[in-house]
Amino acid sequence: MRDKDKEYLQNFGANLKKIREDKGFTQAQLAIDSDLDISYISRIENGRISPSLIYITHIADALGVDMKQLISFNK
Amino acid sequence: MRDKDKEYLQNFGANLKKIREDKGFTQAQLAIDSDLDISYISRIENGRISPSLIYITHIADALGVDMKQLISFNK
């Protein structure tokens, strides 16, 4: 993986964590509402994995935000 | 996979194909420029797989478009 990729995933994870907390969700609640495993949510937020596109739509739906919000952050 | 998910991936693939063609790229050229396999590009465009987020950034960089363009289409 390119350094640029690692940085992007860390930024994506930090942005997701911020939005989740702003919306008052715990990781556990988000995992339930998006049909995903809590460890998957945790690894995304820590920038340790690159999530699958379709799971990002599950997360966006659960948080009630547009996909664009999840990918809009300063790179 | 939910029906809604299949529909989303088909729309995502069709949108990618349109942008790629508008930009005058062949699948082969996009595969080279994004460090991805041509079969991966083809399966994305046919809505048969859910691409990894980081590979979407490679595709966006190769096509010279913003990520938002790749995920902005009528669901």
Side-chain angles (χ1 to χ4, degrees), chain A:
Chain A
M1 194 182 286
R2 307 186 271 202
D3 285 343
K4 185 180 159 189
D5 293 346
K6 283 181 197 149
E7 194 189 330
Y8 180 90
L9 292 175
Q10 274 155 3
N11 289 333
F12 180 86
N15 184 56
L16 171 58
K17 184 175 181 179
K18 186 180 178 313
I19 293 172
R20 174 177 61 76
E21 289 174 343
D22 288 351
K23 294 276 182 180
F25 279 71
T26 61
Q27 281 188 347
Q29 193 56 53
L30 178 55
I32 293 165
D33 290 5
S34 53
D35 279 340
L36 295 170
D37 196 88
I38 189 169
S39 66
Y40 190 73
I41 303 283
S42 170
R43 280 178 291 151
I44 294 172
E45 289 192 355
N46 293 318
R48 289 194 2 244
I49 55 168
S50 173
S52 173
L53 174 64
I54 205 66
Y55 293 148
I56 301 169
T57 67
H58 290 200
I59 290 171
D61 289 347
L63 293 174
V65 297
D66 189 275
M67 286 279 282
K68 284 181 209 144
Q69 232 181 307
L70 293 184
I71 59 160
S72 305
F73 48 85
N74 333 351
K75 279 185 249 170

Side-chain angles (χ1 to χ4, degrees), chain B:
Chain B
M1 197 183 285
R2 306 185 271 199
D3 284 345
K4 185 180 160 189
D5 292 347
K6 283 181 198 152
E7 192 189 333
Y8 180 89
L9 292 175
Q10 274 155 3
N11 289 332
F12 179 86
N15 184 57
L16 172 58
K17 183 175 182 178
K18 186 179 175 315
I19 292 173
R20 174 178 60 77
E21 288 174 344
D22 288 352
K23 294 276 181 178
F25 279 71
T26 61
Q27 282 188 346
Q29 193 56 53
L30 177 55
I32 292 165
D33 290 4
S34 53
D35 279 341
L36 297 170
D37 197 87
I38 189 168
S39 67
Y40 190 74
I41 303 284
S42 169
R43 278 177 293 150
I44 294 171
E45 289 192 355
N46 294 320
R48 288 194 2 245
I49 54 168
S50 173
S52 174
L53 174 65
I54 206 64
Y55 293 149
I56 301 169
T57 67
H58 291 197
I59 290 170
D61 289 347
L63 291 174
V65 297
D66 189 275
M67 286 280 281
K68 285 181 210 147
Q69 236 182 303
L70 292 183
I71 59 160
S72 304
F73 49 85
N74 332 4
K75 279 186 244 169

